[in-house]
Amino acid sequence: MPGRVSAFGMLAVSCAAACGGSGGTGSGESCVSSTECRGGICLDGRCVFADGGGESGGDGIDFGGCDPAVCREECTAAGFGSGYCGERGCRCSRDADGGDVEAPEVAPGTEICGDGLDNDGDGEVDEGCSCAPGDRKACYDGDPAHAGVGICAMGSQICEEEGEFGTWGPCTGAAPPAVEVCGNGLDEDCDGSADEGCACRPGETRPCYTGPAGTERRGICAAGSQACEATPGGAGWGPCTGQVLPQPDVCDGRDNDCDGVTDNLCACEPGAVRPCYDGPAGTRGRGDCYDGNQACVLEPGGLVSAWGSCIGWRGPQPDVCDGRDNDCDGVTDNLCACEPGAVRPCYDGPAGTRGRGDCYDGSQACVLEPGGLVSAWGSCIGWRGPQPEVCDGRDNDCDGSTDPLCICTPGATRLCYSGPPGTAGIGVCRNGTQSCVSDGVSSNWGPCIGQVLPGPETCGDRLDNDCDGLTDEGCDCTSIPAGRPPSVTCPPNVTTRALTTVTLTASAIDDCRIDRYRWEVVAAPAGSGAVPASPTSISTAFTPDLVGEYRLRFTATDNEGLSASCEVRVTATGQGLRIELFWDIPGDVDLHLLHPTATAWFTSPGDCYYANTGPSWDAPGAADDPRLDIDDIPGNGPENINIDIPVTGNVYRVGVHHYRSDGCRTATVRIYCGDISIVPVATYTRTVCANSGGDARDFWRVADVRWNGGTSCTPTPLGTVISTGVAYTSR
C-alpha cells in the first residue's frame, strides 16, 4: 500500500492487522507491528529501536531534525507515548523500557492520527482516523443481540481511502429482523422463535358455523367457510361467510328456525284457496245459491297462517218473480201478484184534486212481501196533494183558485216609480225597485227603493233634471253655433255570468244641451227577453238572462234634434252545468232536471222543477245542488236550471213539460258545460202540446247529461215524448 517518509528517513509501515505471538523480536528482525518490537518500532517490516541501535536505552529517542506533528505521531505509533521536539530533536514521553517521560505542554494544533492524544483540543482523540484503506471488518447495524439469530446475519465493512487515512464504508450484506411470515418455518424477527402469533397458514380455509348448538344442517341452517388471513406479524381466521343461521319461523313450507319442525303455527299454506259456503244448511248448491272462496292468509308478523273469510258466496235472497229460485228453497216464484220492480202512477189525495193546481201523481212499485214469496203493489210515493195556500203564483190547495189573498209573489221584485206619469226613464228620473213581502197567507208590494224623481232644472249641467225630455230648457244657448251633434262614449265591454246584473253608464257632451237618451238591445242570444232597466237614462242596469253575447246601443239627442250613438258588448257565461229553455209563443212550458237516483218525475227531492226549485242533492253544501232560477209562466221563456259544481260521474236527465196552455209550442233546450264557453255542447228543439182540457200534456224526455269532471260533460239525446194524460211520472 502507499507509504510516506518519516522523520527517521525510513518508510513507516501500517500495522492494521494484529501480530501473532507474544514474545517480540529483536532489532532488524521482521515485523508487522511495533508491538512485536519490544521497546522499538516497526519500520519497513523491520524492528528499529531508540538511537537506531536496535536496543533499548536512554530516556527517549533523538531522531535529529524535528517536526512536532510528525514527532507526536511517530512516538504514539511506536507505543512510546506522545512525542515532542526537544533540544536533541524529537523526544518521546516514554522511554524504551516503558518509563514515563514528562512531556512539555504543547499548544493545540492539528489532530495527529495514532498518537492517542487530543491534538486539536476538541475533546476527541484521533477523530477521523478510523482505519487503513483496504482493511475489512465484520459489522451489524441493528441490535447486536439479534445478530446470528434466525435470519439475522453479520455484514462487513471495507476501509475506503479518504485523504491521509481511510474511512469505514457502509455495512453491506447484513440481514436485519423482518416481519414474521407465517407458515415458512423461519424466524424472520430474530427473536429465537419461528411462526409465533400464527393461528393458521394464510390461504387455507375451513368450514365454520356460529349458530346455536344442534341447529347446523337442520332445516335451512348450513355451515359457511372462513379463510386464514395474514396480518402484520401473524395470521388468523377471517370472518365466517356463507353460513345460514336460524331465522324466525314463517309460513313458507320450510324449517326456518332449524328446530326440526316445519311451519309450527301454520294451519294452511299461504296463498292456497278452497271453496266455502256460509249459508244455511240445505241451501248450498240449490237454486241461486253457490259457493265462494276463502284464501289462506298470514296473520301480522308472518308466523301464523289461517283460512280467511269466505267471499263471493251467495246465499238465499228474497224471492222475486223472475223465474228463479232466489231463496233456494226448491220453489220458484211461489206467489207473485205483479212483476217486482214494475212501476205505475198513483194518487192518494182527496177526490177532485188529482191533476189540479199543484197536485200531481206519484208512483207505486211492485214489491215482495216479507218472506219473499208474495209480490204486491207497494205504497204510493212521490204524489203531491193539496198544500196550504201561499203567495207563489200557484194553486197550492188545488181548489182552482190561485193566490186569492196575494197581491204578489213573496220574494219577487219589480220596478217601481212614484213620480208623474211619463217621467220615468226621462232625463235623470229612473225607476226604483220594490220587493213583495208576505205574512204567509197574504202578500203585498213593499216600499219603492232607489227611484229618482223629477227636480228643478239646473242650467249648465247638461242634464234633464225635471224629466220633461228637455235639457237645460230656459237656459241661454243662443251664442253656440248650430249643427253640431253630441259627442258620446259608451262604457267598456263587460263579461259577466248569466243572470248577474251589470251597470252600464255612458257619457254625452253637447255644445248646448242633451234632450233625450236611449238604451236598446240590438243583438242577443235566441230566446232572450233581457232589456235595459232604465232605457231613457244615461246609466242603466242590464241583466243577461241567457248565455251568449249581447250588444246594446246608446243614443243621445240634443236640443237641435241631432243624435250620436255608440255600442257596448255584454258577454254572459254559464257556470258548471247550465240547462236553458225557451219556446216560440207565449204559454206555460216548464223545465225539469232529474237526479241519477230518482225513479220518477215530479218527486222531491229527486226532480228540480217549479215546485222544487232548490233541492238538496249529494254532498253537504249548495255547490252540487240544482236551482231553478227563472220560472216563466205567462211568456215564452226563458227558464234555466244551474248546478255550479256537478258531481263527477253523475248522469242527470233533462225534461220539458207542456204545462197549462192549450195548443202546441216549439221548445228549444241548450246545454252548457263549464264557466267560460258561450257555445252550447248540445241544442235540442221539439214541438210539445197540450189539449184543451189540460189533462193530456206532453212530457219530453230531452237528454241524459254525464258530468265528466272539470268543465267537460257528455250529452246523450233521448227524444221521447209521453202523452198519456197525467200518467207521465215514470222516469
Side-chain angles (χ1 to χ4, degrees):
M1 65 174 55
R4 63 176 175 79
V5 178
S6 71
F8 305 109
M10 304 177 183
L11 182 65
V13 180
S14 173
C15 300
C19 299
S22 61
T25 59
S27 176
E29 295 186 10
S30 62
C31 62
V32 177
S33 68
S34 295
T35 58
E36 298 179 72
C37 303
R38 299 172 59 186
I41 62 176
C42 185
L43 294 175
D44 296 331
R46 300 291 181 179
C47 289
V48 177
F49 293 90
D51 297 328
E55 52 187 60
S56 62
D59 60 358
I61 301 175
D62 183 5
F63 296 108
C66 181
D67 182 329
V70 175
C71 179
R72 284 193 298 272
E73 181 180 354
E74 296 297 346
C75 286
T76 299
F80 294 156
S82 177
Y84 62 93
C85 294
E87 295 179 356
R88 298 175 57 193
C90 180
R91 304 289 290 174
C92 296
S93 64
R94 185 174 298 166
D95 61 21
D97 292 332
D100 292 330
V101 178
E102 182 177 357
E105 292 185 3
V106 181
T110 302
E111 190 71 27
I112 300 173
C113 292
D115 64 355
L117 297 178
D118 180 12
N119 307 106
D120 57 6
D122 64 355
E124 297 183 7
V125 178
D126 291 347
E127 66 272 15
C129 306
S130 58
C131 59
D135 287 352
R136 182 186 296 274
K137 71 174 181 179
C139 62
Y140 187 73
D141 291 339
D143 186 347
H146 291 151
V149 179
I151 68 168
C152 296
M154 298 288 288
S156 64
Q157 290 176 293
I158 298 176
C159 185
E160 300 173 350
E161 185 174 4
E162 182 178 343
E164 186 178 0
F165 294 96
T167 300
W168 288 111
C171 185
T172 62
V179 176
E180 194 73 22
V181 178
C182 295
N184 60 5
L186 299 178
D187 180 12
E188 284 90 0
D189 58 1
C190 305
D191 64 351
S193 301
D195 292 346
E196 70 272 17
C198 299
C200 54
R201 184 183 299 275
E204 67 177 324
T205 60
R206 70 177 184 183
C208 58
Y209 184 74
T210 60
T215 60
E216 185 179 359
R217 293 190 298 277
R218 175 177 285 182
I220 67 170
C221 295
S225 64
Q226 58 187 163
C228 185
E229 300 175 351
T231 59
W237 291 107
C240 186
T241 62
Q243 64 178 332
V244 181
L245 301 177
Q247 308 292 321
D249 208 0
V250 294
C251 300
D252 60 357
R254 307 174 69 189
D255 179 12
N256 306 98
D257 57 3
C258 307
D259 64 350
V261 180
T262 299
D263 295 346
N264 303 29
L265 300 175
C266 302
C268 51
E269 181 179 353
V273 178
R274 69 180 184 183
C276 58
Y277 184 75
D278 288 347
T283 61
R284 186 174 189 174
R286 173 180 286 183
D288 283 351
C289 296
Y290 50 79
D291 283 356
N293 293 308
Q294 61 184 164
C296 184
V297 295
L298 286 174
E299 294 186 3
L303 303 180
V304 179
S305 68
W307 289 107
S309 301
C310 185
I311 59 175
W313 65 280
R314 181 185 176 93
Q317 306 295 318
D319 208 358
V320 294
C321 302
D322 59 358
R324 306 171 65 89
D325 179 12
N326 309 102
D327 57 3
C328 308
D329 65 350
V331 179
T332 301
D333 294 347
N334 305 31
L335 299 171
C336 299
C338 52
E339 181 180 354
V343 178
R344 68 181 183 183
C346 58
Y347 184 75
D348 287 349
T353 61
R354 185 175 187 175
R356 173 178 287 184
D358 282 352
C359 296
Y360 52 80
D361 283 356
S363 61
Q364 60 185 162
C366 182
V367 296
L368 291 174
E369 293 185 1
L373 302 180
V374 178
S375 66
W377 291 107
S379 300
C380 184
I381 59 174
W383 64 280
R384 180 185 178 94
Q387 307 294 320
E389 193 71 35
V390 294
C391 299
D392 59 358
R394 302 183 179 282
D395 179 11
N396 309 105
D397 57 5
C398 309
D399 64 353
S401 176
T402 301
D403 298 342
L405 300 178
C406 300
I407 304 301
C408 54
T409 301
T413 60
R414 71 176 183 181
L415 298 177
C416 57
Y417 187 72
S418 60
T423 60
I426 304 299
V428 299
C429 295
R430 64 174 61 92
N431 293 321
T433 59
Q434 58 186 163
S435 299
C436 183
V437 295
S438 172
D439 59 4
V441 177
S442 62
S443 65
N444 209 337
W445 293 106
C448 187
I449 298 173
Q451 64 179 336
V452 178
L453 302 177
E457 192 71 27
T458 301
C459 292
D461 64 355
R462 299 182 179 180
L463 298 176
D464 179 10
N465 307 105
D466 57 5
C467 306
D468 62 355
L470 302 175
T471 301
D472 291 345
E473 68 270 19
C475 300
D476 184 13
C477 294
T478 58
S479 62
I480 300 174
R484 298 170 63 181
S487 173
V488 296
T489 303
C490 280
N493 296 332
V494 62
T495 298
T496 186
R497 285 201 173 116
L499 297 179
T500 300
T501 300
V502 295
T503 299
L504 305 175
T505 301
S507 65
I509 301 175
D510 189 61
D511 53 5
C512 182
R513 66 175 183 271
I514 304 295
D515 285 348
R516 295 187 302 277
Y517 302 114
R518 179 173 178 80
W519 284 97
E520 57 186 330
V521 177
V522 295
S528 172
V531 295
S534 302
T536 60
S537 299
I538 197 167
S539 178
T540 184
F542 180 71
T543 305
D545 52 1
L546 293 176
V547 172
E549 186 174 284
Y550 300 78
R551 283 191 300 115
L552 282 79
R553 179 181 298 149
F554 170 75
T555 302
T557 304
D558 67 8
N559 60 305
E560 297 174 297
L562 300 177
S563 298
S565 300
C566 60
E567 291 186 359
V568 60
R569 185 172 62 249
V570 177
T571 302
T573 67
Q575 180 176 4
L577 175 61
R578 179 178 176 86
I579 316 296
E580 295 180 344
L581 166 68
F582 61 93
W583 50 97
D584 57 344
I585 59 176
D588 192 3
V589 180
D590 292 326
L591 181 62
H592 290 247
L593 186 66
L594 202 61
H595 188 272
T597 61
T599 59
W601 304 97
F602 300 97
T603 59
S604 178
D607 186 1
C608 178
Y609 69 114
Y610 66 81
N612 190 31
T613 58
S616 177
W617 284 2
D618 301 309
D624 56 2
D625 297 338
R627 63 180 182 276
L628 177 67
D629 294 313
I630 304 175
D631 177 23
D632 187 40
I633 299 173
N636 56 352
E639 294 190 4
N640 81 283
I641 294 177
N642 213 94
I643 302 179
D644 291 342
I645 304 178
V647 176
T648 299
N650 268 7
V651 178
Y652 304 95
R653 178 161 291 184
V654 180
V656 171
H657 182 217
H658 193 298
Y659 186 57
R660 284 183 181 159
S661 305
D662 295 340
C664 298
R665 282 151 185 83
T666 299
T668 298
V669 172
R670 289 195 292 245
I671 299 174
Y672 295 87
C673 294
D675 301 349
I676 299 175
S677 175
I678 61 173
V679 178
V681 297
T683 301
Y684 305 103
T685 301
R686 192 179 188 97
T687 299
V688 290
C689 302
N691 65 10
S692 59
D695 59 350
R697 295 168 283 175
D698 286 350
F699 195 98
W700 171 27
R701 293 188 181 97
V702 180
D704 283 340
V705 183
R706 184 186 191 279
W707 189 258
N708 302 320
T711 60
S712 172
C713 69
T714 303
T716 301
L718 299 175
T720 56
V721 174
I722 305 172
S723 300
T724 55
V726 294
Y728 41 65
T729 58
S730 175
R731 179 182 177 89

